Amino acid sequence: MQTNAKPRIVLVGAGSMGALHARVVAQSNRLDLVRVVDPRREVGEQVADRFGASWTPELGDLADADAVIVAAATGVHFDLARAVLGAGKPLLVEKPICGDYAETEAVLALAEQKQLPIMCGFLERFNPAILTIAPMVREPVHIAAVRHSPYVPRIRTGVAWDLLIHDVDACLRLTDGQPASVRGGLGFFHPGSMDGAEDVAEAVMSFPSGAIATASASRIGQRKVRTLTVAEMDRTIEVDLLRRDVTVYRHVSNDVELPDGRGYRQQTVMEIPELVSAREPLAGQLDHFLGLLDGTVDIKEERDSIRPAHWVVAQLFPQPAAG
């Protein structure tokens, strides 16, 4: 990395997500966006020009980069990640690392071998609502995550790797453990989807503590739903990830008699905690990546945190027969 200078970032991918990364990097006073890589000249140049960077159709030797952000299509993540790490550059790659668990393991092994920072774009980790509830959760017994959306033709891959992995990651981090078992199912419905690309994915994770977590992703809904519900024995925490709000419910059984003789035996107490942050999740994610670059975030801990959600999602797909 350059000394006495802001880290230089090369961004790979100028699609909708890549353009968001470009904006956040360009807005940071701690980084320089130096180049945008995209094989589509019109798309790549438009993003590069907008944020004061150069454009190239290919990755090149990365001599101009101190770190790389990959926001290209999932299908090219494996080759790009190997090229970036092979060039000795820290890497932030949009989720998933790869749409194949063996390839993901190979990328993580390469990062470990070279002792390079690697981060996966688990954006919900930096959602203010998630940041608010994470220290609140004590002993969850049931977590239910729902991520449903209307169909978007530009997303060609299935929802398990594209959507479900966010919520699987959230469930694992809130339970702080590897599931003892994973089961679930995939549904294939939309005529516009690629062959083999699922439109619905459901995962049920059972943990050694006895806790259960469920995650549901769909792209055949008629409205966007992003919710997370954490049940403990004495309270329920509900999160709306779109609105970024949190509500805590406590059920109270109590015989109460009103002045007119009427009464009730049950009530629910509601609390709405103040969010710990109002920061845009993508900006928070970038700050975390900077922590990896400057050594204030542990690179091994970050690398190890990537694997569990990828492993769980991989369990939903038919495994090749042994031998």
Side-chain angles (χ1 to χ4, degrees), residues 149-151 155-159 163 193 197-199 217-221:
S149 302
Y151 191 79
I155 305 297
R156 304 293 289 162
T157 51
V159 296
L163 299 177
S193 297
E198 71 283 351
D199 302 300
S218 170
R219 61 178 173 199
I220 55 170

Side-chain angles (χ1 to χ4, degrees), residues 153-166:
R154 67 176 175 81
I155 305 297
R156 304 293 289 162
T157 51
V159 296
W161 290 114
D162 183 52
L163 299 177
L164 189 78
I165 193 168
H166 277 300

